[in-house]
Amino acid sequence: MSVAISTLNSIDKEKQLNEILDQVLERHMQPEDRYEVAAILESLGWNDRRVHETFGAADVFALADDLWERMKRKVLFTPFAKAENMKPRVMLMALLRNFLRGVIFAVPMAVSVFSMLTLKFSLWSYEYLSVELATSIAIGTILSFVTVGGFTQAIARRGFFYIIQGYYNMARRVTFHFIGLGFAVCIGLSATILLLNMIIRMFPFSMLAMIILYFFFLNSIWLSVTVMYILRKELVFTGLIIAGIALVYLLFIVLGIDNIILDQLIALSLVSAASILLVIYYFKQAEKKSEKGISPQMPKMSVTLYSTMPYFVYGFMYFSFLYVDRVMSWSTNSQYMPYLIWFRGDYELGLDFALLVLILPMGISEVVLTRLMAGIELSQKAYWGDEGERMGRAFRRTYYRMLGFIAAVALSSAVALYLLLYFIFDHFSVGLGSTLYAHPVTHLVYVIALISYVFLSVGLMNAVILFSLSQPQLVIRAIWPALVINIIVGFVASRWMTAFETSTKASMATGHGYAVLGLLMGSIVFMAISIQSTRKVLNNLDYYLYAAS
Amino acid sequence: MYAGFWNQCLHLLQYFMAITLLLVIWPMGLFAKYGGGPLERAASRFLGMMLLLLVLGYMLAALKLFEAISIVMIVGSLTIWSIIGRRSSTERQELFAKWATRFFDYFENKHRLIALLRDSFTVHWKSTLQAIRFRLSDPLTAVEYILLVAVFGLSAYIRFYDAATSPAPAWPDGYTTLVRMKRISESILVADGWAVPQGLYMFMSYLRTFSFIDAVYVLKYTGPFVSMMILLGQYAFIVRLTKSRIAGLAGVAAFGLFSGCFPGDFERHAAADPQQFAYMFLFPVLMFYFRYMESGENPAFRAATCGIAAAALSHTQGYGLVAMSVAVLCIVFMFAGARRYWRKTGPIVLALLAGALISLLPFLLSHVMGASPDSASAFHLGDITALSEAFWALILPVLIGVAWSALFTVFPKSNRFRAAQLMLGLAAVGYGAYWDPPKWDPPKPIQPDKLGWDSAIEQYLRINESFRPKTWHIVTQREGYALALSSGYHMDVGEFLASYDPAMPPLTEYGKSMPDSSISHRVFLYEEKNVFRPDRRNTGWPEGKVERRKQDSEALREWVKRFEREHGSVPVFYEDENLKIYEIYRPESQEEIRKKIWNEAKGEWR
């Protein structure tokens, strides 16, 4: 009690008390209660005798009581900090940097598309592949994304967490632990598929071998690209892709090794090995540069897993969401169905081109998020403790503006992409144009996927906001119903349209194309639930900021 | 080789894995534990699962959604709902916490996966060994079990022999059954003729979906499997009725080894037959209704009623037999004490009436829709003589078991008389094993009449395994349609000869200059050197049909000769004394491959 030390009335004592309070707050910014303050005091070397001799207080608890009261008063008097207006040039540069960081992931994709259009092959595709091989590669790719999706999210979350604190050693250890787990799951899954296929012949062995090889190599590539992203070495991956394509060119065209699958597998294995080695090298370099000092102990693995589990689940569900409509489409028995899944190029082509629409909104979303989070950080010092409601209202307004902005950008991007590609294909007489704009399945998928990705980009912006406020469970709450809806609608729509076409003896089978309706409905659901969740968070922003701290 | 040892092992393994998934693993997750012994528990789950599969099958096929993905999604959701729904919220939380703790503990190196698996296996292995040791601790009990294994083993040999050695479908409906099974896989409930209860076809379609084996194997294995299930049901019913394993043994020995001596068609035990499929539910239904009449337990009533509904969804005449048998059971109970049992017969009668309605519904619907019955559909209504024969063939072994039990109840219950019973049982099994005493022949397996040369079916299987599905055509007589449906394409010999010009580039139609793009690039021509003639009970094919097939073969031979004159010799894919198969192949161009991958269509877009 302050009464208990009222005997200490000199200015020096007051000054000393404030110093001790600062020391306590340095140890823990927001102690839970007065008992925690007492514990911190004891850890600072204060005992009953010293307290009594210095301040005349009865014991450590009496001093803790006094400090606790001071602390509560101190919170109320935290000075206001006004948001500093950035200079236009600085702001523009920051926005550009964030935008480029958002779109940089599209560069390898752009390189691959360019390679396909000019050379007719890329690192893992070829225009004249048999459908059998295309099916194997597609299954391997989907499997790799779905399997590794959770691990990439966990690496990005936990690795980044250590890197921004400068703990490169811990970041490396946790990252390689997740990479190891990713490979273990990949090997376990491959062995299970192989064994199962020995008993239940789902695919011929030649196809299965391709599936597993592509699955394995692509897994290592996705894992290493994630690490490059957190180490801010995104362009290196683009360089590796270019090198890989160059190697395929060398083997296939220059040296005339006619088996392109073999050429691609050689290139893929070298690219994946190089990327893993580069990741190790970059970590070593970063560790050398980081400050030498106490190396903190790694938390228990179970704690790390527990804290990253929601991100892992999200990663798995997100990639499943992105690919499940393909599975629904390719498993439809509409025209020709030799195995459980059969690649349909007309469906894939529509989705591939529609995916380009995400580049711009994703870049913008990075900028928008940075702005929002900076605003939130500043607002904690710009509002009174009891003005949580006002603060929430202000941010809701900002959020709605951002929502409208990102939706407008995504929509314009979709319309612009549709018209731009039409112009390019028409102007340069690219044969692909007739497939993309005239083939009933490809055109349907292209248009519906463009619309779906507009909704998805809004949902993804909500997801990054919620992740930034440490609310991954709310993102999962939005993505799992979207995934279920995607599966059900895609499945039912593709089957019923196929049945309808069969009953009407339609001249062309297009039923499998309607699986894209699953993507559309799923994206709408994802967007709607994620908006609802984000509003909920912004309605109680002060609470969620406290919880996230 | 179809009859090859490893080929059969692999296919049987796949078939029984699908059976295990459908009838053992899924029911364990779906249905609550029935409060009886292991046999009753398994039977109750079996009846519940069969009804669920059939109802689900009808719904999915009607909605055009019958396929592995939808089945797994629905059954998976039901299983999760059942596992979670059965528990209180506290129990659910505890269960979740338990698994979460295990998961996180694993990453703290508290357990090792291999050690966990080894421990779990050791515990199960030890408890199983202990149970076996306990059961076999009494020498007489051990002999009982050995006899039981011998009877079931011999019965399985008698029934499965044909399925494991001869791929040709059995007379009279093998091909019809094959087509109907494949139609269900394509979500087609009524393709031609009347809508009939589709239980067998649906069950086979499930097995085909989850075993990933050719429909021919499913067709061949399902008949013997159903027959063995009838035998198992019979055993369980007799044992529950008489409380004597030896009586059960006597009954199943009679049915399993000497069923040829009973009225009815012995060969149906080795052929997939919808009527036999409905009979599979008879004894479990009787067993549970018997228990219900005795104890009034609702779970027993529910299990039996599931069986009634499943039988009604499978075969009308078969259901008639099940209903008749249940009626006899009720009458027996009424004689035993009308005042005590009449209240319990009410719900059973209602269940039987509902079953009758379900069973007749497809026919009523067909009649309303104006469809006319085909021979296979009319067979579902059947005739009363066949029904009577089937009834006695199934019930007589039960009566033998009951009589055996009654005979030995007059003797004191000592080990000496138990041993005497077993000696008699052994003699009976021995007689079954060598049932032609003067010659001491091995047991004679059932070999039904066939609908074609074994080699024709075997070569179809070879084609299907060697080449990607839907990339080939077989040109055969009409039965080839049932084989190729959903795995490749079929063309009638007559149609082929009338369409394709042997003088033009391969597979070019008369009057055209370019090869036909609608026929597969790989075509197999079946030439019957000797036309197959089924002559069972003077119901073989009419002479006109045989003559036409001969003419077709002759014309095909001529066509091949003309083709060879223009294009050189045609590769022979297979030849024996009855059959010759030619292979015509037209390679695909790179442009055709490219168009296939992108499913390109020419269209105006500018």
Side-chain angles (χ1 to χ4, degrees), chain A residues 153 314 317-319 321-322 355 357-359 361-363 365-366 368-369 399 403 406 452-468 475 478-479 523 526-528 530-531 534:
Chain A
Q153 286 291 322
Y314 168 74
M317 286 190 174
Y318 173 67
F319 283 104
F321 178 84
L322 279 189
L355 198 65
V357 81
L358 283 177
I359 296 175
M362 285 300 93
S365 153
E366 191 83 17
V368 164
L369 176 78
Y399 167 67
L403 205 63
I406 204 90
S452 309
Y453 289 147
V454 170
F455 292 117
L456 185 68
S457 56
V458 176
L460 286 175
M461 188 194 72
N462 292 323
V464 285
I465 292 174
L466 291 169
F467 277 136
S468 301
V475 187
I479 192 106
S523 301
F526 181 52
M527 183 192 71
S530 64
I531 288 178
T534 315

Side-chain angles (χ1 to χ4, degrees), chain A residues 283-402:
Chain A
F283 261 122
K284 293 274 180 206
Q285 289 299 105
E287 277 179 62
K288 272 183 200 164
K289 281 184 203 157
S290 63
E291 280 183 36
K292 301 284 174 297
I294 303 163
S295 177
Q297 283 277 310
M298 283 289 285
K300 283 188 161 191
M301 200 54 214
S302 54
V303 174
T304 305
L305 284 177
Y306 183 78
S307 58
T308 48
M309 190 55 84
Y311 300 92
F312 180 88
V313 173
Y314 168 74
F316 170 73
M317 286 190 174
Y318 173 67
F319 283 104
S320 304
F321 178 84
L322 279 189
Y323 286 99
V324 80
D325 63 300
R326 283 174 171 88
V327 176
M328 292 303 134
S329 168
W330 299 349
S331 59
T332 309
N333 192 2
S334 63
Q335 44 186 3
Y336 169 71
M337 201 61 206
Y339 306 114
L340 270 181
I341 287 180
W342 192 242
F343 179 77
R344 309 281 163 89
D346 48 5
Y347 191 89
E348 177 66 25
L349 207 63
L351 278 184
D352 286 348
F353 278 99
L355 198 65
L356 295 171
V357 81
L358 283 177
I359 296 175
L360 198 62
M362 285 300 93
I364 301 278
S365 153
E366 191 83 17
V367 176
V368 164
L369 176 78
T370 314
R371 292 270 294 157
L372 182 77
M373 293 316 292
I376 286 176
E377 203 180 320
L378 278 173
S379 71
Q380 292 183 71
K381 295 176 190 168
Y383 288 92
W384 290 98
D386 58 358
E387 285 184 329
E389 175 60 29
R390 215 182 112 222
M391 184 175 79
R393 222 171 21 243
F395 275 102
R396 273 204 307 279
R397 272 200 302 274
T398 312
Y399 167 67
Y400 290 139
R401 271 202 305 275
M402 288 173 166

Side-chain angles (χ1 to χ4, degrees), chain B residues 276-297:
Chain B
Q276 292 286 323
F277 183 74
Y279 297 160
M280 187 170 68
F281 303 106
L282 171 66
F283 293 109
V285 164
L286 288 177
M287 185 173 81
F288 284 114
Y289 274 145
F290 181 81
R291 185 166 174 144
Y292 169 68
M293 292 298 266
E294 271 191 336
S295 63
E297 284 173 14

Side-chain angles (χ1 to χ4, degrees), chain B residues 255 337 340 361 364 386 394 404 439 467 528 552 555 601:
Chain B
F255 186 74
R340 198 172 144 205
L361 212 57
L364 292 174
L394 291 162
W404 182 291
K439 292 184 206 160
F467 305 104
E528 280 187 288
D552 280 350

Side-chain angles (χ1 to χ4, degrees), chain A residues 199-200 422 426 439 496, chain B residues 14 63 108 212 599 605-606:
Chain A
I199 304 165
I200 301 167
Y422 189 94
D426 185 22
H439 191 290
W496 282 355
Chain B
Q14 285 179 249
L63 292 170
E108 288 302 322
F212 291 86
N599 189 19
W605 65 287
R606 280 184 265 189

Side-chain angles (χ1 to χ4, degrees), chain A residues 69-80 381 383-387:
Chain A
E69 293 303 325
R70 282 166 187 269
M71 206 182 298
K72 285 204 292 186
R73 285 202 299 276
K74 191 179 168 72
V75 171
L76 286 174
F77 294 111
T78 302
F80 268 62
K381 295 176 190 168
Y383 288 92
W384 290 98
D386 58 358
E387 285 184 329

